[in-house]
Amino acid sequence: MEHSIYLEAAAALARQAGEIIRARFGGEFEKEYKSCPSDMVTEVDRKCEEIIIAGLQKVFPDHVIVGEESTDEARAYPDGFTWYVDPLDGTTNFVYGIPFCCVSIGLAFGGEIVAGVVYDPFRGECFSAAKGSGAFLNGRLVCVDPIRKKLKEGLLVTGYPSNKTFNKRLLRIDYHRVLESCTNLRALGAAALELAYIACGRLTGFWENVLRPWDVAAGSLLVEEAGGRVTDINGQKLNLEGYPSIVASNGLIHDELLEVLS
Ligand code: IPD
Ligand code: CA
Ligand code: CA
């Protein structure tokens, strides 16, 4: 299947949204709470989503579009094309003035991710991948970290849910055990961009317990196309539906990482 038309459309819209994120960064914007005060949405998230959805609808009127700020139901669609849009991943960073956020747009066909773009507007880095064609950073082929073969050599990254009701799930992880097993552990605050960093070898392994399909759709394909491995937290195939848990890595440390998370 030829994916370049999808990637080009997604990258152009991600850059357009990214321009808005960069222009509004550090300024005044309206904020609202979603599930609780730590779960924020800003007028910038909504504006970016509006632009991306309108742009996709114009070019692909038959496709289903699942956008974080406009869709309650995040299910998988077994037939045809479905876009998963996170217009601003890293809203908390954005609100607090930390320039680590991205736009994430993934495309599934028949329930399988076939194309994805993650765009970092602060560094002008556009990560893209299409099924079977490799992963790219600004057009240059990238691969996962080929050097760290053992968990103890790996730099790991994780994230914490914005919705406090999911914090209970953190109890199943022994953070002390994880820290003893690896070089160090980061939490950078934008899941899609963290996955892109796994894909280009800057980080070795990532996990997070409660995410949404738009957080992981594009990034999981980036990791796989860069030669890495992606599973759920039990080592099974990642299921996009609902509230996926994810483990992504350079592949070499994956089994060890699953073991330490179990
Ligand atoms: C959040 C970020 C964060 C992750 C949260 C997500 P948002 O997405 O990806 O890194 O830890 O679980 O909800 O709300 O900034 O799009
Ligand atoms: Ca997100
Ligand atoms: Ca978001």
Side-chain angles (χ1 to χ4, degrees), residues 49-62:
E49 180 153 316
E50 212 177 282
I51 287 170
I52 296 167
I53 291 184
L56 291 174
Q57 271 168 347
K58 197 165 157 202
V59 194
F60 309 111
D62 304 335

Side-chain angles (χ1 to χ4, degrees), residues 34 40-41 45 49 68-69 85-91 102 214-215:
K34 296 201 271 189
M40 290 171 263
V41 57
D45 299 60
E49 180 153 316
E68 176 176 11
E69 310 308 343
V85 177
D86 191 336
L88 200 178
D89 184 46
T91 298
C102 66
W214 43 81
D215 295 312

